[in-house]
Amino acid sequence: EAGVTQFPSHSVIEKGQTVTLRCDPISGHDNLYWYRRVMGKEIKFLLHFVKESKQDESGMPNNRFLAERTGGTYSTLKVQPAELEDSGVYFCASSQDLTAYEQYFGPGTRLTVT
Amino acid sequence: SQQGEEDPQALSIQEGENATMNCSYKTSINNLQWYRQNSGRGLVHLILIRSNEREKHSGRLRVTLDTSKKSSSLLITASRAADTASYFCATVGGNTPLVFGKGTRLSVIA
């Protein structure tokens, strides 16, 4: 069974540009989560989809971040315009149901904003 | 916040020794989980311990949970060079998402 995949693995962009990260969850997992780890800090929750609906987006830092999950399959996270402080590793995770608690993480996308 | 805080931030040991990492959190939880991240890789789920459990084993891993002290420990016995990674605890309370600590960077020297 394929795990959670993320694309790209690494992105380097200039301040003010736009970047779109993609996450493909494990097939059949309704729950999809985005997290990020800024250098030297803890991994922080960004948002949670249940199928195509945003269940909880309390962790989204500001309106420069837009997440979508069309059709309840893969998800994208767009940063527009990117700022220096957006640099970090963005993780995606999926789970089958909330009561399972265990989330399966992708390898992450390392975003560098210069 | 029920942020997990790992201790120590970095740990260096010889192969074959045991490694102990601690985690503290602030509010009540449903469960606590430990994850490992190898350099450049994603997070790998190691073990989950529920709030009504006190100890759990999985292979060379032993996790304890003390809800009265709001703390947990992860023990890796007979460490190997391949155990070199960052280890994170994460807590779950109700329907809240995982709340991670900053992690402990473990280096196992062959």
Side-chain angles (χ1 to χ4, degrees):
Chain A
E1 179 185 291
V4 176
T5 58
Q6 293 185 245
F7 181 84
S9 57
H10 192 183
S11 179
V12 181
I13 60 172
E14 292 183 353
K15 176 182 172 181
Q17 290 186 322
T18 297
V19 63
T20 300
L21 314 181
R22 172 171 170 146
C23 168
D24 286 79
I26 291 173
S27 178
H29 282 193
D30 288 341
N31 296 278
L32 186 150
Y33 310 81
W34 283 98
Y35 296 83
R36 77 170 178 178
R37 186 184 187 199
V38 173
M39 178 90 64
K41 298 196 174 180
E42 62 273 16
I43 301 167
K44 284 200 168 178
F45 166 80
L46 295 178
L47 88 159
H48 169 207
F49 283 100
V50 177
K51 297 185 180 179
E52 67 274 10
S53 300
K54 291 177 186 175
Q55 180 77 10
D56 180 355
E57 52 184 329
S58 60
M60 294 288 264
N62 52 60
N63 59 10
R64 294 185 295 102
F65 289 76
L66 175 63
E68 294 179 323
R69 192 182 181 195
T70 307
T73 54
Y74 70 91
S75 174
T76 58
L77 179 64
K78 184 192 305 189
V79 185
Q80 179 182 31
E83 298 289 344
L84 298 178
E85 63 265 25
D86 300 332
S87 295
V89 181
Y90 290 76
F91 293 102
C92 174
S94 71
S95 68
Q96 195 162 21
D97 58 68
L98 282 175
T99 58
Y101 291 127
E102 182 175 342
Q103 297 177 18
Y104 296 84
F105 280 79
T109 292
R110 180 174 295 279
L111 174 64
T112 303
V113 183
T114 62
Chain B
S1 157
Q2 55 179 338
Q3 181 178 350
E5 294 280 345
E6 290 90 345
D7 167 50
Q9 291 186 352
L11 179 63
S12 183
I13 60 174
Q14 296 289 325
E15 200 168 32
E17 293 181 336
N18 295 341
T20 300
M21 290 161 271
N22 302 298
C23 167
S24 61
Y25 56 94
K26 296 179 181 177
T27 62
S28 61
I29 61 172
N30 285 345
N31 66 75
L32 185 145
Q33 303 175 36
W34 285 90
Y35 286 81
R36 181 186 71 221
Q37 183 190 16
N38 292 84
S39 179
R41 304 282 184 89
L43 292 160
V44 174
H45 183 267
L46 296 176
I47 195 165
L48 181 154
I49 185 165
R50 300 186 188 281
S51 59
N52 60 353
E53 297 176 312
R54 292 297 167 257
E55 187 172 312
K56 205 162 183 180
H57 297 254
S58 176
R60 293 183 296 111
L61 305 179
R62 173 179 169 254
V63 169
T64 62
L65 178 64
D66 186 336
T67 52
S68 66
K69 295 181 179 178
K70 291 186 169 58
S71 68
S72 173
S73 68
L74 171 67
L75 168 69
I76 304 174
T77 60
S79 63
R80 305 166 182 168
D83 295 329
T84 295
S86 291
Y87 291 81
F88 298 89
C89 70
T91 55
V92 175
N95 286 330
T96 60
L98 291 174
V99 179
F100 287 88
K102 294 183 182 180
T104 293
R105 179 175 293 278
L106 173 66
S107 298
V108 181
I109 303 166

